[in-house]
Amino acid sequence: MRLLHTSDWHLGRAFHRVNLLGAQAEFIGHLVTTVREREVDAVVVSGDVYDRAVPPLAAVELFDTALHRLADLGVPTVMISGNHDSARRLGVGAGLIDRAGIHLRTEPSAAGTPVVLTDAHADVAFYGLPYLEPALVKDEFAVDKAGHEAVLGAAMDRVRADLATRARGTRSVVLAHAFVTGGQASDSERDITVGGVAAVPAGVFDGVDYVALGHLHGCQTITERVRYSGSPLAYSFSETDHRKSMWLIDLDAAGSVTAERLDCPVPRPLARIRGTLDDLLADPGLSRHEESWVEATLTDPVRPADPMARLGERFPHTLSLVFAPERAPDDPRVSYARRLADRSDQQIAQDFVAHVRGAGPDEHETAVLREAFDAVRADDAVREVAR
């Protein structure tokens, strides 16, 4: 069976205020063409279909168009909700849409109930594990500790229990939206840390033939059977070096995996450039970036006049301007933003305690801070579901 694995469409998202809906529509067209030309048997979409719980109307219309075009091909599609989606909204009408071959899996309780497709060899069972917010699903999965590994492990126990009841030779595919250990994150993914832990080990998925992951925006291979497709478009300058693509997966009769990486259309390349303003405007080596979306970091010791306008004369698609004068790390003028770079909310809070008290939090206080951040994030998730 030939599968096309994609995820993290984030329909409705902009890139530094640039509307990406046209580029997202181009990707949908590319997806449909690929399904037809490469004789794909099933499409899997591993979450974050939308960029937010209540997407703009234009994004909903594009999703509707995508569903119709996929249904018209007669090729089954299995989709799950991600942490950016409202599972309840995305799942509206799932029972009816099922009849068109579009299988939306947004309910955690259905983790052990697969979509079963058949090829010339035998059945393939597709298990959809939507994003599992630990605080919201711990009771459903009867776990003592509300953590990602615990709830995903319990969901996979249901998958393995169902698979054990199926005919010999049944192959299995799991769709999941999670941060798996070994994956490389970017700046454009929403933090899903719970209890100080965001990642789950790949071993939690043992026992199935292929795991189609979503959440991380870079295409990557965790193991030969566990892969991220990544997002089809770049959504932050941290993705400048990403090669945006999908996985074409062939499952043979024994469940062995053969993978081919297929490139996605690039609306405009990204570039990060750094130096003094005069150097950036004069450097002939930067000519290749003149039609790119540009993030420029200026290292001038004093902020130059009209930097955006001057950069725009050479790089008309400059979208982000960062000031980072070259100074010693202990220079008091080093910006607050630079001091906070790459630090989590938890770490920033702990640094604040150390700053005002003269000593950092002890083990108990660190746990209290962690519980507070987890509670706020869980409350945000509840509010988003209720909207």
Side-chain angles (χ1 to χ4, degrees):
M1 184 169 285
R2 173 165 287 183
L3 319 175
L4 187 63
H5 168 199
T6 177
S7 72
D8 294 273
W9 295 357
H10 289 278
L11 301 181
R13 186 163 184 159
F15 184 76
H16 289 268
R17 299 177 300 282
V18 174
N19 189 321
L20 290 179
L21 208 64
Q24 291 172 334
E26 184 180 359
F27 162 69
I28 296 299
H30 171 71
L31 172 72
V32 171
T33 298
T34 301
V35 171
R36 183 176 57 248
E37 293 183 350
R38 298 303 300 267
E39 299 181 336
V40 169
D41 298 308
V43 177
V44 295
V45 185
S46 299
D48 282 352
V49 174
Y50 291 122
D51 188 56
R52 54 184 184 267
V54 184
L57 180 59
V60 177
E61 290 173 340
L62 179 56
F63 179 58
D64 183 62
T65 298
L67 293 185
H68 278 85
R69 295 185 69 179
L70 288 168
D72 286 345
L73 291 173
V75 175
T77 300
V78 185
M79 294 183 171
I80 60 171
S81 49
N83 61 301
H84 280 250
D85 297 311
S86 165
R88 292 174 66 183
R89 282 188 173 83
L90 187 64
V92 168
L96 288 173
I97 296 172
D98 252 18
R99 301 177 188 178
I102 307 292
H103 307 283
L104 296 172
R105 293 295 180 263
T106 64
E107 291 292 334
S109 59
T113 305
V115 175
V116 180
L117 305 178
T118 304
D119 64 8
H121 303 293
D123 290 343
V124 180
F126 291 78
Y127 297 89
L129 310 186
Y131 172 66
L132 302 175
E133 175 59 50
L136 302 184
V137 303
K138 64 183 181 67
D139 292 337
E140 166 65 34
F141 291 107
V143 297
D144 295 329
K145 186 177 180 181
H148 290 292
E149 184 174 356
V151 296
L152 260 178
M156 282 302 301
D157 286 344
R158 294 188 184 182
V159 168
R160 286 184 283 264
D162 179 84
L163 194 55
T165 69
R166 299 196 172 270
R168 185 179 179 83
T170 299
R171 290 151 292 162
S172 52
V173 175
V174 166
L175 290 73
H177 197 87
F179 191 163
V180 175
T181 303
Q184 297 297 312
S186 62
D187 293 343
S188 52
E189 297 121 7
R190 185 180 295 170
D191 182 26
I192 60 170
T193 301
V194 174
V197 178
V200 300
V204 77
F205 298 108
D206 286 351
V208 296
D209 294 309
Y210 184 70
V211 182
L213 293 173
H215 180 59
L216 299 184
H217 289 182
C219 180
Q220 45 203 300
T221 300
I222 305 300
T223 73
E224 286 303 305
R225 295 184 182 275
V226 181
R227 297 170 186 263
Y228 284 99
S229 67
S231 60
L233 298 171
Y235 293 117
S236 72
F237 278 103
S238 66
E239 300 171 50
T240 297
D241 295 329
H242 286 191
R243 173 186 161 197
K244 295 303 182 180
S245 53
M246 304 177 287
W247 286 114
L248 189 69
I249 302 294
D250 284 312
L251 275 182
D252 70 10
S256 295
V257 172
T258 302
E260 179 183 353
R261 194 171 173 187
L262 306 180
D263 291 332
C264 294
V266 178
R268 191 179 294 279
L270 309 186
R272 279 177 150 172
I273 59 177
R274 182 186 181 95
T276 65
L277 179 59
D278 288 342
D279 286 347
L280 296 183
L281 295 178
D283 186 350
L286 298 180
S287 297
R288 67 188 187 279
H289 299 315
E290 290 176 355
E291 294 304 316
S292 300
W293 279 323
V294 168
E295 178 185 74
T297 298
L298 300 185
T299 60
D300 302 74
V302 177
R303 185 177 300 220
D306 299 321
M308 197 66 161
R310 293 170 65 189
L311 277 169
E313 293 177 2
R314 183 179 187 190
F315 307 102
H317 305 288
T318 301
L319 300 181
S320 176
L321 189 58
V322 180
F323 292 96
E326 298 290 358
R327 292 169 177 158
D330 58 352
D331 190 313
R333 295 172 296 175
V334 172
S335 74
Y336 182 65
R338 287 182 66 188
R339 294 201 302 272
L340 298 185
D342 301 322
R343 300 188 70 74
S344 69
D345 291 344
Q346 172 93 16
Q347 291 169 324
I348 292 169
Q350 291 175 196
D351 289 348
F352 176 76
V353 172
H355 173 72
V356 299
R357 195 171 65 183
D362 60 25
E363 185 176 340
H364 172 69
E365 292 167 332
T366 298
V368 169
L369 285 171
R370 182 180 300 123
E371 289 171 5
F373 280 113
D374 288 350
V376 169
R377 206 178 54 79
D379 184 62
D380 286 345
V382 171
R383 290 173 184 272
E384 196 161 271
V385 168
R387 288 173 66 186

